[in-house]
């Protein structure tokens, strides 16, 4: 009887408690109605907390009271509070969150917590940053941790010891290509990415997911924006101009961007004087059409025409030490004429099956026609300035007739499916490639009356190359990946697992590769501001064209043939990272630390001269890359975004049984990006960019990587830009049909540091070689105006 009474009391108590509890569920979205994942839903009084899933949905069990206070928060958004009066049963809430607003602009810092290896970069100050190349997106990438560049004229970059060719770039899920014959930063025009049309930038320096292609170092994921209303902007400076127009209707949107660049003014600061005539033009159009909620059609087109014409006149370079200064003087004759014409287009059709399933078919085509021709003769004198002794005198002549045409077409099918805790994606791509090349290069050196190398019987050239190749091939690529999110048993630890598999086959060498990749992010219960990330995977660098060119010397002529036994380079990567979000002086900050190790095999060794990468054409080496990247990002000044990054790295390869540094062995690098407003005003803005990076290994030409026993001086550069808000409707009584007018003044290479880009080697009569540095641009002033409608 007593036991029966006890059971009855327990049953009544349980029933009463259940009656006093209720279930709170709902969805959290941003101002555009897009789901916000990992937003925090909390009831502080009851010590209860939950986080939204991929669809922005949440569910929480709470005790009912007269009033229950529930808070909704997320970094970068205003915290919202809801008070529930005597809640019972199941309560459903639809919460819309809005970003913080300061200084009249939308300031969103680290909107989303990074739960994979793809970091989303902020675009807010992209237009006001001082720029040398005119390629603002790439210049932002060059300042990230683990990324390096040693040439402000180039948009190319190295990531954690990789070459320029190891970085994949995607625009709207389609991989894009660069011209193949580019050998110097002066020749580079505008990159394919138009900053005016960009909506989102995702960048990964390693450990990226399976949907990104077969490159070993990095992935850059660009998404172009779809205008929601009419918008336009125009920019003009001493280095070029650009214009952008975007418009939209109920079912239709389109945007157009036109850019022009000429770095003639900038090249005038080089030590080689002459007549520079570079002209670069780029036009892009992005059009989307949605007849209804089930279908989306889009088209992206790009036309790029780059011309580089140069007639050198003379050059004088001083180098050496304070006690031993050498002078190198050259008088030139001849000219260089280069043309790089690129066409790129992509069209897609997407079928939406509700909110959780999409099927997309994409077609893309890339065409490039490139011409590099030059005949340049130089008469040089090498002198010792202390003793006036002539160390060397002679003549050299360089000749090139290089022509290349490439066509790449692809067809890609993507299927995306979202479940409650899973985000599944799979894709299949077929590419058809055709590359046709005809090249002829040679170099002659005549030092003090005889040719180098000296034979006595005949006239030999120091360098000669002949190439005539035609390549047609097909690539088949497929991938499948899943993002799985779940919480721990206590409901306060959050996990995100990204795992996938990638397959590729190339008909040219009949090689098939399989690339497994996995990453895990953990938000621990002991600190919701900490994210721990681990990643590993087997990555491949599928050869395209330059890696295939294997040289064979017959007599005194070197011939480039395509090696159909070439294999993909391989990188086994291990990464461990931590993100820590915190507030200091009531301003948001984020600290990121990432350690990595890459075991490299089947490497194709290469040399780098300026930005030209010349491969050996064979899998000859193994190697490694290891390092540590640190980054502090936040509002150093209220309402602005700044960051500082610091990187340590060591990368080597084993060649002929000897360990030698990779050409990209940059042992340390520091980058600083700082933005500030002038005291007492919101009209004046200042942006400062600092870079300090270790010099790269180098050696005498045509002696192989084993002979790279020297290291160039460190790369040091400071750029500063001042921007003035000349017109803002909110700050004046005169209203014009203009959103804003910004006036800018930039000082490029603020301290006038002579950075070394490469070396020209001079041989004297005693067969000694002297490395004469080729310096980059000096200090220059650039003015600009930006008008937004």
């Amino acid at each position: 009887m007593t036991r029966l009474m006890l059971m009855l009391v327990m049953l009544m108590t349980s029933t009463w408690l259940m009656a006093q509890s209720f279930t709170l569920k709902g969805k959290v979205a941003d101002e555009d109605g897009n789901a916000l994942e990992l937003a925090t839903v909390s009831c502080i009084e009851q010590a209860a907390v939950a986080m939204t899933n991929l669809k922005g949905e949440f569910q929480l069990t709470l005790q009912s009271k007269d009033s229950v206070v529930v808070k909704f928060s997320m970094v970068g958004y205003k915290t919202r509070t809801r008070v529930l009066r005597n809640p019972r049963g199941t309560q459903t809430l639809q919460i819309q969150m809005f970003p913080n607003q300061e200084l009249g602009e939308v300031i969103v810092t680290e909107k989303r917590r990074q739960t994979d290896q793809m970091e989303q970069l902020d675009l807010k100050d992209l237009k006001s940053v001082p720029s040398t190349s005119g390629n603002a997106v790439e210049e932002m990438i060059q300042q990230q941790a683990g990324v390096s560049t040693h040439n402000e004229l180039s948009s190319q970059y190295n990531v954690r010891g990789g070459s320029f060719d190891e970085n994949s770039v995607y625009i709207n899920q389609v991989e894009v290509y660069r011209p193949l014959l580019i050998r110097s930063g002066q020749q580079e025009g505008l990159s394919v990415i138009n900053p005016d049309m960009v909506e989102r930038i995702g960048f990964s320096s390693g450990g990226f997911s399976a949907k990104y292609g077969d490159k070993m170092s990095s992935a850059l994921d660009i998404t172009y924006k779809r205008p929601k209303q009419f918008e336009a902007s125009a920019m003009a400076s001493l280095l070029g101009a650009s214009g952008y127009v975007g418009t939209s209707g109920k079912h239709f949107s389109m945007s157009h961007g036109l850019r022009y660049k000429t770095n003639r003014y900038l090249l005038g600061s080089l030590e080689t004087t002459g007549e520079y005539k570079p002209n670069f033009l780029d036009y892009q159009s992005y059009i989307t059409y949605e007849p209804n909620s089930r279908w989306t059609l889009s088209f992206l087109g790009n036309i790029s025409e780059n011309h580089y014409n140069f007639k050198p006149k003379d050059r004088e370079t001083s180098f050496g030490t304070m006690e031993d200064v050498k002078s190198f003087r050259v008088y030139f004759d001849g000219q260089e004429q280069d043309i790089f014409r690129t066409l790129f287009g992509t069209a897609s059709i997407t079928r939406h099956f509700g909110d959780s399933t999409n099927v997309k078919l994409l077609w893309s085509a890339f065409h490039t026609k490139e011409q590099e021709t030059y005949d340049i003769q130089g008469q040089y004198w090498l002198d010792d300035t202390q003793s006036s002794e002539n160390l060397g005198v002679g003549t050299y002549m360089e000749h090139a007739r290089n022509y290349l045409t490439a066509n790449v077409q692809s067809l890609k099918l993507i299927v995306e499916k979202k479940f409650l805790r899973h985000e599944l994606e799979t894709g299949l791509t077929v590419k058809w490639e055709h590359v046709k090349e005809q090249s002829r290069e040679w170099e002659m050196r005549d030092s003090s009356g005889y040719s180098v190398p000296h034979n006595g019987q005949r006239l030999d050239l120091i360098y000669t190359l002949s190439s005539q190749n035609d390549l047609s091939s097909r690539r088949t690529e497929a991938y499948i990946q899943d993002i799985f999110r779940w919480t721990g048993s206590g409901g306060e630890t959050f996990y995100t697992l990204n795992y996938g598999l990638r397959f590729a086959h190339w008909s040219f060498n009949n090689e098939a590769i399989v690339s497994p990749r996995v990453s895990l992010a953990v938000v621990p219960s002991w600190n919701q501001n900490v994210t721990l990330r681990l990643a590993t995977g087997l990555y491949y660098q599928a050869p395209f064209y330059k890696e295939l060119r294997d040289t064979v010397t017959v007599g005194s002529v070197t011939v480039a043939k395509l090696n159909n036994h070439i294999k993909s380079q391989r990188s086994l990567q291990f990464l461990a990272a931590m993100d820590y979000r915190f507030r200091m002086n009531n301003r948001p900050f984020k600290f990121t630390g990432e350690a990595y190790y890459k075991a490299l095999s089947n490497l194709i060794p290469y040399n780098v001269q300026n930005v030209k990468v010349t491969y050996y054409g064979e899998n000859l080496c193994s190697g490694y890359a290891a390092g540590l990247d640190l980054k502090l990002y936040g509002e150093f000044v209220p309402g602005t975004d700044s960051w500082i990054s610091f990187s340590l790295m060591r990368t080597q390869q084993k060649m002929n049984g000897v360990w030698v540094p990779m050409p990209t062995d940059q042992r340390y690098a520091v980058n600083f990006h700082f933005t500030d407003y002038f005291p007492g005003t919101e009209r004046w803005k200042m942006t400062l960019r600092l870079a300090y990076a270790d010099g790269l290994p180098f050696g005498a030409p045509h002696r192989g990587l084993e002979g790279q026993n020297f290291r160039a001086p460190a790369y040091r550069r400071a750029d500063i830009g001042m921007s003035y808000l000349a017109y803002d409707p909110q700050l004046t009584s005169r209203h014009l049909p203009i959103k804003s007018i910004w006036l800018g003044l930039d000082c490029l290479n603020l301290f006038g540091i002579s950075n070394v880009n490469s070396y020209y080697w001079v041989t004297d009569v005693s067969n000694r070689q002297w490395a004469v540095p080729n310096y980059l641009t000096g200090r220059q002033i650039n003015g600009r105006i930006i008008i937004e409608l």
Side-chain angles (χ1 to χ4, degrees), residues 92 126 140 165 170 223 259 283 289 302 383 402 404-405 411 467 480 564 572 587-588 592 630 647 652 779:
T92 302
L126 198 63
M140 174 185 285
D165 301 321
Y170 287 80
T223 302
R259 294 179 294 164
Y283 169 74
Y289 175 61
N302 170 233
D383 300 318
N402 298 329
L404 184 141
T405 303
L411 197 62
S467 177
I480 183 170
N564 60 358
L572 179 60
R587 298 196 297 269
T592 299
L630 304 174
S647 299
Q652 290 185 309
R779 182 190 297 113

Side-chain angles (χ1 to χ4, degrees), residues 240-259:
S242 67
Y244 164 78
V245 176
T247 186
S248 66
K250 183 177 181 181
H251 303 286
F252 181 82
S253 70
M254 66 177 177
S255 57
H256 305 274
L258 180 65
R259 294 179 294 164

Side-chain angles (χ1 to χ4, degrees), residues 117 160 205-206 533 575-578 592-596 627-630:
Q117 289 302 115
R160 292 178 174 174
S205 55
R533 292 183 282 115
L575 303 99
M578 183 196 74
T592 299
E594 186 161 334
Y596 60 91
L628 176 67
D629 294 331
L630 304 174

